[in-house]
Amino acid sequence: VEPGDEVRTYKARRRVTTGQAEALARLLPAYGVDLDRPFDAAEVFGRLAPLVLEIGSGMGEATAEMAAADPDRDLLAVEVHTPGIATLLRRLEAAGLTNVRVVEADAVHLLRAVLPAGSLDEVRIFFPDPWPKARHAKRRLLVPTFAELVASRLRTGGRLHLATDWESYARQALEVLSGSPSFELVGRDRGDRPLTRFETRGHAQGRQSYDVVAVRT
Ligand SMILES: C[S@@+](CC[C@H](N)C(=O)[O-])C[C@H]1O[C@@H](n2cnc3c(N)ncnc32)[C@H](O)[C@@H]1O
């Protein structure tokens, strides 16, 4: 079983409000990516810069903050939650950011079918759906096949940064990445990663954050 085929890593879609539908229609032509064409970063961003992929950008607060703080890199945000996409689009417009593009899709499809090998400088997975029940663990994104898919799209020396507030997920990430022939674990630092919405919620519920960083060998 490959992640994203028979197994969905996310919950069912939500309906969008009229305002969100308006934002999608108006802003996707500028900030979206045409998935039916071969992905050409220089064409999409109008320049060639190191490319960062954020998987599961949620409502996009951290996405917009990171892009503003890192103008020399381009950021591709992929998310399946349509209201979150709409909210992120509005943030990008309000902040006038030009180094972000947004994809409404399953990250597995984006990685497998759209992004070229070695095209990514960094992949960020911040607070992936935790699927805490044991019988749901197979839905977690970071399983060995997914790690190898990510590795194939990262350049040599590129980074994978996962953050979670579930200790068992952090343990799974350490296990998967230390067992991978394509990654070397390099640290547990959050670096300058901003607080995300889900992280703030987790802290309010008494959970702490765990960061796992690995480099593509
Ligand atoms: C718990 S939320 C965290 C959102 C945000 N990173 C934060 O920390 O606030 C996880 C997000 O990942 C998205 N997601 C889960 N599986 C995904 C997949 N296969 N492709 C794209 N997005 C996915 C979900 O829709 C959800 O918005």
Side-chain angles (χ1 to χ4, degrees), residues 30-34 38-54 63 67 70-78 92 97-103 110 115-116 119-120:
Y31 291 106
V33 175
D34 183 354
F39 183 85
D40 178 345
E43 188 188 312
V44 168
F45 288 95
R47 67 171 183 175
L48 205 47
L51 182 60
V52 178
L53 174 67
E54 184 188 5
T63 312
D70 195 10
D72 294 335
R73 289 198 289 177
D74 289 329
L75 181 53
L76 192 57
V78 61
L92 300 180
L97 289 167
T98 57
N99 60 333
V100 186
R101 293 295 181 276
V102 179
V103 173
L110 179 72
L115 297 178
S119 58
L120 299 173

Side-chain angles (χ1 to χ4, degrees), residues 9-10 56 58 79-81 105-107 126-127 129 141 196-198:
T9 64
Y10 46 90
E79 174 56 69
V80 287
H81 181 67
D106 185 332
F126 294 161
F127 304 89
D129 290 332
L141 202 53
T196 77
R197 168 182 286 234
F198 271 76

Side-chain angles (χ1 to χ4, degrees), residues 12-34:
R13 285 166 187 241
R14 302 235 187 99
R15 294 158 68 97
V16 293
T17 64
T18 314
Q20 287 166 345
E22 181 276 329
L24 290 164
R26 192 166 53 80
L27 297 171
L28 271 180
Y31 291 106
V33 175
D34 183 354

